């Protein structure tokens, strides 16, 4: 789905729009997430279906606002995605692995519990509270 309009990444001359990465195997759920993000304002949504595709996305986008990942905490760490995503400025939002919610939130990441709504998606990209806060 890698949706990138020809003017992707810019809302006005010289002004960048947020880029969101969505790793989701179910294209209907991916489109729901993308639609919610677009409804909140101009943005570029990059949909990938596997963690292997994330490296390409990071190479093509110097800054990722948030990454919505259909992965558990252990899968993210095992795949080595946490550091590169955080280095690109991404807020990590997991969409599976509810048992890890406390740990994930303690890291400043967010968790979307399925089934989620538009409001829940938009709330997940608000700045996370610092540890202990």
């Amino acid at each position: 789905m890698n949706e990138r309009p020809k003017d992707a990444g810019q809302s006005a001359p010289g002004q960048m729009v947020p880029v969101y990465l969505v790793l989701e195997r179910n294209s209907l759920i991916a489109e729901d997430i993308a639609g919610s993000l677009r409804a909140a304002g101009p943005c570029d949504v990059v949909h990938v279906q596997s963690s292997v595709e994330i490296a390409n996305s990071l190479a093509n986008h110097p800054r990722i606002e948030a990454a919505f990942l259909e992965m558990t905490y252990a899968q993210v760490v095992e795949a080595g995605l946490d550091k590169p995503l955080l280095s690109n400025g991404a807020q990590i939002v997991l969409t599976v692995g509810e048992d890890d919610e406390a740990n994930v939130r303690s890291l400043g990441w967010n968790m979307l519990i399925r089934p989620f709504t538009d409001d829940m998606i938009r709330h997940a990209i608000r700045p996370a509270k610092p540890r202990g806060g």
Side-chain angles (χ1 to χ4, degrees), residues 71-73 94-102 104 111-113:
M71 299 176 80
T72 65
Y73 171 75
L94 302 184
T95 64
V96 294
E98 296 83 16
D99 292 342
D100 293 326
E101 184 174 9
V104 165
M111 173 76 67
L112 275 176
I113 308 296

Side-chain angles (χ1 to χ4, degrees), residues 8 12-13 17-18 26-28 55 63 71 73 75-76 81-82 89 91 98 105-106 112 122 127:
V17 298
N26 183 311
S27 58
L28 183 59
R63 174 149 174 80
M71 299 176 80
Y73 171 75
Q75 290 171 322
V76 172
L81 294 175
D82 51 333
Q91 180 176 0
E98 296 83 16
R105 293 194 188 279
S106 76
L112 275 176
R122 288 189 289 269

Side-chain angles (χ1 to χ4, degrees), residues 31-101:
E31 189 51 43
D32 283 347
I33 294 170
S36 294
L37 295 168
R38 288 186 194 109
C43 64
D44 185 11
V45 179
V46 179
H47 175 226
V48 296
Q49 294 187 350
S50 75
S51 60
V52 175
E53 295 175 65
I54 291 177
N56 246 0
S57 297
L58 293 175
N60 292 328
H61 300 280
R63 174 149 174 80
I64 303 288
E65 191 71 25
F68 291 82
L69 306 175
E70 181 192 13
M71 299 176 80
T72 65
Y73 171 75
Q75 290 171 322
V76 172
V77 173
E78 185 177 304
L81 294 175
D82 51 333
K83 290 180 178 127
L85 284 167
L86 294 170
S87 292
N88 275 48
Q91 180 176 0
I92 298 173
V93 181
L94 302 184
T95 64
V96 294
E98 296 83 16
D99 292 342
D100 293 326
E101 184 174 9

Side-chain angles (χ1 to χ4, degrees), residues 105-108 129-133:
R105 293 194 188 279
S106 76
L107 295 170
K129 292 181 180 179
R131 290 183 199 183

